[in-house]
Amino acid sequence: MKSLNPRFIFLLSLTVVSSSLGFYLPGLAPVSFCEKEDAKECQKDIQLFVNRLDSVESVLPYEYDAFDFCKDTDERRPSENLGQVLFGERIETSPYKFTFKSDKACVKVCTKSYDAGSKEDKLKLDFLKKGMELNYQHHWIVDNMPVTWCYIVEGNQKVCNPGFPIGCLVNQEGKPKDACVINADFNKKNAYYIFNHVDITIFYHSGDETNGMSARLVAATLEPRRSDFHSNDDKPTCDGTPMDIPAEFKNNLKVTYTYSIQFKQNDDIRWASRWDYILVSMPHTNIQWFSIMNSLVIVLFLSGMVAMIMLRTLHKDIARYNQMDQEEAQEESGWKQVHGDVFRPPRMGMLLSVFLGQGTQVFIMTFITLFLACLGFLSPANRGALMTCSVVLWVLLGTPAGYVSARLYKTFGGENWKTNVLLTAFLCPGIVFVDFFLMNLILWVEGSSAAIPFGTLVAILALWFGISVPLTFVGAYFGFKKPGIEPPVRTNQIPRQIPQQSFFTKPVPGIIMGGILPFGCIFIQLFFILNSIWSHQMYYMFGFLFLVFIILLITCSEATVLLCYFHLCAEDYHWWWRSFLTSGFTAVYLFVYAVHYFFSKLQIIGVASTILYFGYTLIMVLIFFIFTGTIGFFACFLFVNKIYSVLKVD
């Protein structure tokens, strides 16, 4: 039986909603085009938008205007949501404007002149060369659809990349780098070749005249190349041998930017599935599907084995214990003998309760976000929606964070409720914000488009202090009003001495072992998530991500419960922090994998990019640590309460 395709779920839900209720998801409403513009039905002008430029060799993205490209005289910036701003997207209009079904060849956009005696021109050209050296990529948008560069790779496989390079470099040894390998004419040593001409092809669905539906754009591709512009009043041409830009700027230089546009009818692609040609052709897609399914089968099998062992062992253990007399029971050893100490409040209960409150907030936020993404509401076509949804949910979920933290702190016997609620509201968010602010300072200094504007930072602080903090106080108020969670057995006044532990039942080895299985079920997805963040690939498999999320919950819970049971059998009753750290240690494996990914998969160079990578990685690790630790703690908490509630203890 074939698994449900997340794109199919998204398109099905979109079709049902649009047909029954008569509206479209934000950012996904279709636009009709025609040769003669009708203000009510269709439009004939097509505007090409440009986004920020990025590179796999640098974490620093830059705005289109940072480079000396042709600029739109009537530049406009569409309104951007919070997620787009946080991700560093900077969309603006471009001078590339087309008319529907109007093919044109070698259209001049502008000419950039560089004077060898001008320091300003030298700086502009040097920055352009740096962009080509680091393989910075354009990202163009037509009708909310990325303009893709399609090429053939090994195995005669067609790959479409939602971006194309500024240019390329042939080094001093005469070895072409990056895109320069596609053309044998790029053969001068120590020279730069800028792609100043693009052949654009726009595919459209002709529509249905019987229903009065006009044409709609379904695909947009381009072919970048370097060409010389020969001005002719009748027939300008963009042919000739590619002109190189020498590494040393000694002579005056002119670069003319041109384009050719062609419209092709394609009724095989429907508007609702126009993103498929990008998603299906992405590299390693087939490997990803197979690897995810293989990982799911292995993790489900292991989880089933753990559950079966735990259920059978505990069932027999409890049944045998309840059949004994109390005198015989006193001679028993193991988890039954620590019933008077197992609910003894932990050390640093304040910090543990704060982590658990924040973890609850992150868990609910993640669950709702992934569920909405799985249904297609946060698809790649709805730019910035994923991050916007996450931030808004986190802000609104301050109440459960305050409630859980206060209730558990009261269960631990804590009385300093003011400190508890303040730490819940400010500790973890404060660490994240300080790290984020320091990274933003580096982006400001480097002039990157990813730097968050001051106004946005103020807005984030307003959301935090104006909404999240008050809601956290409200949750803490209701949490402290209720009594603490009553344990099923009484706690002895004198702590029981813990016997000598074997190597595997000591805290550190158990915690280290506890994170292996949960990490094993996510590392494949983690690879593609890191690719989408740092290698600028498009991530769209939210259906499988949601399944992996559920399996992560199950695996963290079962691994923590299993190790907790072994420690209790060894008469070690310090399970509070250990249950949190056992599953939370998965975050350490995540960090180790991120370090491996940095050195083995990425080509990032530069101190600033390295600091930014590890700075943002630490934020991810902290959030993941709190999230997984919370899952393990509550699973173990429910388990311990359950097994000790069935004991016949006076």
Side-chain angles (χ1 to χ4, degrees):
M1 180 178 178
K2 294 184 178 180
S3 59
L4 288 178
N5 190 321
R7 298 192 304 275
F8 172 76
I9 298 175
F10 158 61
L11 295 175
L12 178 62
S13 61
L14 176 62
T15 304
V16 172
V17 170
S18 61
S19 61
S20 60
L21 301 180
F23 69 93
Y24 293 89
L25 299 177
L28 301 179
V31 179
S32 299
F33 293 89
C34 52
E35 295 180 71
K36 294 183 179 181
E37 187 168 6
D38 186 338
K40 295 182 179 180
E41 299 294 336
C42 61
Q43 61 186 49
K44 68 174 182 178
D45 295 327
I46 301 174
Q47 173 67 66
L48 187 145
F49 292 86
V50 292
N51 203 344
R52 50 95 175 95
L53 289 85
D54 52 38
S55 169
V56 295
E57 299 182 24
S58 175
V59 179
L60 302 169
Y62 291 99
E63 289 192 42
Y64 181 83
D65 289 346
F67 295 89
D68 193 31
F69 298 131
C70 299
K71 297 178 176 58
D72 189 11
T73 54
D74 301 322
E75 184 177 297
R76 293 176 290 106
R77 289 181 179 269
S79 59
E80 296 174 339
N81 56 43
L82 180 61
Q84 289 177 289
V85 176
L86 293 177
F87 269 128
E89 291 196 11
R90 300 293 184 268
I91 300 175
E92 60 189 69
T93 56
S94 75
Y96 297 86
K97 306 176 191 293
F98 319 123
T99 301
F100 182 65
K101 295 181 71 173
S102 177
D103 296 350
K104 294 184 179 180
C106 195
V107 179
K108 177 182 175 180
V109 181
C110 73
T111 299
K112 293 292 183 178
S113 301
Y114 301 94
D115 186 354
S118 172
K119 290 184 179 181
E120 184 180 356
D121 288 350
K122 185 178 184 303
L123 290 175
K124 290 180 180 179
L125 196 59
D126 287 344
F127 192 67
L128 199 58
K129 290 178 182 178
K130 179 184 176 183
M132 289 185 278
E133 186 175 347
L134 296 177
N135 195 27
Y136 268 83
Q137 305 273 318
H138 285 282
H139 293 280
W140 290 2
I141 303 168
V142 170
D143 191 30
N144 196 38
M145 185 173 49
V147 182
T148 59
W149 174 36
C150 297
Y151 50 92
I152 305 298
V153 295
E154 294 181 4
N156 202 30
Q157 181 184 0
K158 184 180 179 182
V159 173
C160 291
N161 185 18
F164 67 96
I166 294 175
C168 57
L169 166 67
V170 178
N171 60 23
Q172 295 180 353
E173 291 77 23
K175 183 179 179 181
K177 288 185 60 181
D178 303 318
C180 275
V181 300
I182 65 176
N183 194 328
D185 292 333
F186 299 157
N187 51 22
K188 288 188 178 181
K189 295 182 179 180
N190 200 22
Y192 297 85
Y193 294 89
I194 187 169
F195 295 141
N196 63 320
H197 177 85
V198 287
D199 293 317
I200 304 173
T201 304
I202 296 179
F203 299 88
Y204 64 93
H205 191 287
S206 60
D208 189 352
E209 295 182 358
T210 58
N211 295 332
M213 187 177 71
S214 301
R216 291 174 179 172
L217 307 187
V218 293
T221 62
L222 60 76
E223 184 70 27
R225 58 187 175 93
R226 178 69 177 92
S227 65
D228 289 336
F229 178 78
H230 299 286
S231 179
N232 187 306
D233 293 337
D234 298 327
K235 292 182 179 180
T237 59
C238 298
D239 299 323
T241 304
M243 183 184 70
D244 66 289
I245 300 176
E248 297 183 4
F249 182 36
K250 296 181 179 179
N251 301 317
N252 294 344
L253 180 68
K254 286 187 176 181
V255 179
T256 300
Y257 293 88
T258 57
Y259 72 89
S260 298
I261 179 70
Q262 185 179 12
F263 289 85
K264 291 185 178 180
Q265 180 176 333
N266 188 335
D267 292 339
D268 295 332
I269 304 176
R270 300 185 61 187
W271 182 87
S273 58
R274 64 179 186 164
W275 281 70
D276 285 7
Y277 80 103
I278 302 171
L279 306 180
V280 173
S281 65
M282 290 179 66
H284 309 301
T285 300
N286 293 331
I287 297 175
Q288 180 177 1
W289 285 77
F290 173 77
S291 300
I292 292 173
M293 290 301 301
N294 185 54
S295 177
L296 291 177
V297 171
I298 293 174
V299 172
L300 286 173
F301 174 76
L302 291 175
S303 300
M305 291 293 293
V306 171
M308 182 180 66
I309 293 172
M310 293 299 301
L311 289 175
R312 293 189 62 182
T313 303
L314 275 176
H315 179 73
K316 292 181 179 180
D317 214 0
I318 293 174
R320 185 173 63 254
Y321 180 87
N322 288 335
Q323 291 174 357
M324 297 179 180
D325 295 333
Q326 291 298 317
E327 294 181 359
E328 295 177 347
Q330 294 297 327
E331 300 176 0
E332 288 287 328
S333 62
W335 63 273
K336 299 171 287 298
Q337 294 302 325
V338 295
H339 62 80
D341 298 274
V342 73
F343 290 101
R344 189 176 302 280
R347 298 176 181 177
M348 296 189 293
M350 170 84 77
L351 183 61
L352 180 59
S353 63
V354 169
F355 281 165
L356 293 171
Q358 285 292 331
T360 304
Q361 187 177 12
V362 173
F363 167 74
I364 301 174
M365 175 200 73
T366 306
F367 179 84
I368 297 176
T369 301
L370 290 182
F371 182 74
L372 293 176
C374 181
L375 295 179
F377 290 95
L378 307 178
S379 71
N382 197 359
R383 302 175 185 276
L386 187 70
M387 177 60 76
T388 303
C389 179
S390 300
V391 173
V392 171
L393 283 173
W394 180 85
V395 169
L396 297 177
L397 289 170
T399 301
Y403 179 84
V404 170
S405 178
R407 190 84 190 276
L408 287 173
Y409 181 61
K410 199 168 184 180
T411 301
F412 298 155
E415 298 178 354
N416 196 354
W417 63 270
K418 293 180 180 179
T419 304
N420 174 262
V421 68
L422 288 174
L423 287 177
T424 305
F426 294 107
L427 179 61
C428 295
I431 295 174
V432 171
F433 183 81
V434 170
D435 190 330
F436 182 78
F437 183 75
L438 293 176
M439 298 303 104
N440 203 53
L441 285 179
I442 297 176
L443 293 170
W444 272 339
V445 172
E446 296 291 334
S448 172
S449 66
I452 307 302
F454 180 76
T456 305
L457 283 177
V458 173
I460 293 174
L461 288 174
L463 290 173
W464 180 15
F465 287 94
I467 300 178
S468 180
V469 172
L471 289 177
T472 304
F473 276 75
V474 171
Y477 171 77
F478 287 105
F480 279 111
K481 280 190 67 176
K482 288 194 173 185
I485 302 173
E486 192 69 26
V489 291
R490 292 196 305 268
T491 301
N492 297 333
Q493 293 183 352
I494 302 176
R496 180 187 179 90
Q497 185 177 0
I498 300 175
Q500 184 69 28
Q501 300 292 303
S502 65
F503 174 78
F504 292 103
T505 57
K506 290 182 178 180
V508 175
I511 291 172
I512 293 175
M513 289 186 297
I516 295 177
L517 188 59
F519 178 77
C521 77
I522 66 166
F523 81 95
I524 295 175
Q525 279 290 331
L526 183 61
F527 171 76
F528 292 100
I529 292 174
L530 292 177
N531 273 350
S532 68
I533 296 174
W534 303 114
S535 297
H536 314 295
Q537 295 184 12
M538 201 170 295
Y539 190 89
Y540 65 97
M541 303 187 68
F542 295 107
F544 272 113
L545 182 61
F546 186 73
L547 289 177
V548 171
F549 171 77
I550 298 299
I551 291 179
L552 176 65
L553 301 183
I554 298 172
T555 312
C556 283
S557 302
E558 291 184 345
T560 306
V561 166
L562 182 63
L563 290 172
C564 179
Y565 176 70
F566 289 156
H567 291 138
L568 292 176
C569 287
E571 300 183 23
D572 185 352
Y573 50 82
H574 295 305
W575 63 274
W576 299 95
W577 269 107
R578 190 173 298 173
S579 62
F580 183 87
L581 295 175
T582 297
S583 54
F585 201 80
T586 310
V588 177
Y589 290 107
L590 185 151
F591 180 75
V592 172
Y593 184 81
V595 174
H596 165 73
Y597 180 85
F598 177 82
F599 289 105
S600 64
K601 303 297 181 182
L602 296 181
Q603 306 166 4
I604 291 177
I605 57 177
V607 177
S609 294
T610 303
I611 295 175
L612 288 168
Y613 176 86
F614 285 103
Y616 287 126
T617 298
L618 287 176
I619 294 177
M620 294 171 52
V621 169
L622 174 62
I623 295 174
F624 195 73
F625 169 73
I626 296 172
F627 165 69
T628 52
T630 302
I631 296 171
F633 175 87
F634 280 113
C636 198
F637 182 78
L638 294 174
F639 168 76
V640 173
N641 271 272
K642 181 64 177 178
I643 63 173
Y644 283 96
S645 63
V646 299
L647 295 181
K648 295 178 180 179
V649 180
D650 295 332

